Amino acid sequence: MSYDLIFVPRSDDQSWDDALEAAEEADSDERPSGEAWARLVAAARRMLGEVSVFEGVHNYELTHEPTGIQVSYYAEEAGITVPYWYRGGDARAVVTAMYQLGEAVQAVTGLPGYDPQLELPLSDALAQPELAVSVFDEVAASFAERGISSPSPG
């Protein structure tokens, strides 16, 4: 289970539901921009430190092992995932990093971001990080109630 941010093409007159549906139906064999990917990797390293990089035929991915943050980049879509390992102050720190990385994805790719957990555009979610932190806390409480412990992030 992870907290996700999604980045897809979206026109001003298009709802997020319609944009996400269109992205799901799109099937691109194009390779994403290598220049944009290099800029994303550089931004991630500035924000997070060292990251491991995977370059596939149709996508790129990076992982920051200490936090579990992953970024995936396709020709017409990008995503950020963060495992639900965090709560409280640790959740606040990882949400801050995730949203800062999300801003970089938007700036580099031109793809607007969406936070499906909050059902908010990234621009609105950025102004209310405590909402995402509360989602992490709720999931941690749910895990604890079921006797499930998350692996340590570091």
Side-chain angles (χ1 to χ4, degrees):
M1 267 181 88
S2 62
Y3 196 104
D4 305 314
L5 299 179
I6 302 168
F7 304 82
V8 297
R10 178 177 172 259
S11 62
D12 290 340
D13 63 342
Q14 190 177 35
S15 73
W16 274 103
D17 286 340
D18 289 345
L20 294 170
E21 186 176 319
E24 197 173 296
E25 293 172 2
D27 187 21
S28 175
D29 287 337
E30 293 180 39
R31 185 170 176 87
S33 164
E35 178 186 332
W37 178 243
R39 291 174 34 213
L40 278 175
V41 171
R45 286 183 171 145
R46 276 192 307 277
M47 290 176 209
L48 302 172
E50 190 52 44
V51 297
S52 60
V53 176
F54 168 79
E55 297 185 1
V57 175
H58 300 291
N59 71 304
Y60 299 113
E61 294 181 5
L62 69 80
T63 302
H64 181 246
E65 296 294 335
T67 60
I69 292 175
Q70 293 183 313
V71 177
S72 300
Y73 179 43
Y74 298 83
E76 293 292 321
E77 183 176 345
I80 297 176
T81 63
V82 180
Y84 280 114
W85 294 341
Y86 304 96
R87 65 176 165 243
D90 291 338
R92 179 166 301 283
V94 81
V95 164
T96 299
M98 172 184 69
Y99 280 167
Q100 287 175 342
L101 196 52
E103 287 182 297
V105 170
Q106 288 183 135
V108 169
T109 67
L111 297 169
Y114 182 71
D115 184 327
Q117 290 78 200
L118 304 179
E119 298 182 347
L120 291 173
L122 184 58
S123 57
D124 293 346
L126 284 165
Q128 307 170 76
E130 67 280 357
L131 296 177
V133 171
S134 70
V135 172
F136 275 90
D137 288 341
E138 288 171 21
V139 171
S142 172
F143 284 166
E145 287 172 7
R146 293 179 283 160
I148 300 169
S149 62
S150 296
S152 169

